[in-house]
Amino acid sequence: MKKILTLVCVSVLGGIITLSAYTMLFEKEALIVTDQTQPASSFINTNYDAKTANILNTNQLDFTVAAENTVHAVVHVKNTAVVSSQATLQDLFFGNQSSPRAQVGTGSGVIINKDGYIITNNHVIAGAKSISITLNDNRVYEAELIGTDEKTDIALLKIDADEDLPSIPFGDSDTAKIGEWVLAVGNPFNLTSTVTAGIISAKARDLSGRNSQSFIQTDAAVNPGNSGGALVNSRGELVGINTAISSQTGSYIGYSFAVPSNIARKVIEDIMEFGDVQEGILGVSVLNRNSKEAIERGLNEIDGVYVSNVADNSGAKVAGIKDGDIIKKLDNVEISKFSDLSGYIKTKRPNDVVNVEVLRDDKVKTIPVKLSKSDIVVVEFIDMELRNLPAEFKKENNLTEGVLVQKNDNAFLYRKLGFRPGYIITRINDIEMKTIEDISKFTEKYGKNAQDKIEKLEFIDAYGKRKEVIFQ
């Protein structure tokens, strides 16, 4: 009996000790888990070892030199415009005129040479009555607007300084690679001399509704005020002009876009030499991937872009490019989508020769093509022949958009609506038709169903009157 009693006592005592230890252990764990004062967890490689540590230590990224070499060449741009203030109910009641007021907008710009030439976005200085430039050392200058190109959203300014100015050299945006580190330098929210870092997330990004359809996409933080600022590589070379963000809030959420430096450089060189932009045209329309026609014809998996039409009088037609060719490269630059093609061509001028590598009948061949002037190329669109308006005609008539109807075999438009050669198409479905490239994009999107997708057509008739046709 004593033995049994002793055994029971020992068992009870062991249970108490075990329970106490269990309770102490888990109460302590619960305290650690719920302790809000603990620092956040650090995340490290699961295979971290001495070798990994050496690699990380010897390859530390250092942007200090690139930042130092560029921050002094990025300027603050202030645009002062005069606008009419909104009329109040009292103004309307008493018939008062709304009074003009000054409206100030700000952005960034990049000094590109020691003589004071500055590149920025067209939208930064649009409508400006005066433009002032503040350097990084707080010197202020009035700027002269040398020229703009709305299509690429690039503008060129000039200031006269007493001494040579710091500048950023151009880099080659065609050789920039996805995953490469870049810095965005600018003045977000009027915070001057701000530098952020990220990588190139994508190239030749086509943004719906934007004129320049070949953006560099980065995850470097860009906010309002960064427009017109510099996107530079780790060597401090200019690879892009920061232009836009993708956001539902108006502030940066992870995506920013820049006009490639090769396009920007060509635009400002044209403005400086010719006074306007010299557009070279290849003269092909391509079939857009994911379009109904591309899917039906099994063309979504091709490596390159499919030529659906070759424009009359174009360099491509003269050189022998044919419908059905698949363009794979331009001057050894790989082409996988329309924005690749249009982005590269934007860096060229009329009469430049581009080596076009095409796949035809399962054979690859390279065809040299001399680019044409944009106003002599004719494209077909819903049984009409269209061409760009001459630059001189646009200037004389104060036009920023429009394509000329050269020939009209569309029975419905011609007979029912009296739509005649000589008319100028300005908009389709509220989308501006600035050039035949915009017409080509509409065709690429809808293919043979393009006419069925037209809901509204706006145009200028032979008497210079703006009209519109609503399609039911």
Side-chain angles (χ1 to χ4, degrees), residues 60-75:
Q60 290 293 325
L61 291 167
D62 186 356
F63 298 126
T64 57
V65 174
E68 178 65 23
N69 289 341
T70 57
V71 71
H72 300 292
V74 175
V75 301

Side-chain angles (χ1 to χ4, degrees), residues 40-109:
S41 299
S42 297
F43 294 90
I44 60 175
N45 293 334
T46 55
N47 64 336
Y48 190 86
D49 54 22
K51 183 178 179 181
T52 306
N54 288 334
I55 292 172
L56 292 175
N57 289 333
T58 56
N59 287 314
Q60 290 293 325
L61 291 167
D62 186 356
F63 298 126
T64 57
V65 174
E68 178 65 23
N69 289 341
T70 57
V71 71
H72 300 292
V74 175
V75 301
H76 187 264
V77 180
K78 185 170 76 172
N79 158 16
T80 303
V82 177
V83 297
S84 296
S85 59
Q86 188 173 359
T88 64
L89 289 174
Q90 188 177 17
D91 291 333
L92 294 173
F93 185 79
F94 290 105
N96 296 333
Q97 296 288 331
S98 58
S99 56
R101 60 181 177 83
Q103 179 175 285
V104 177
T106 60
S108 303

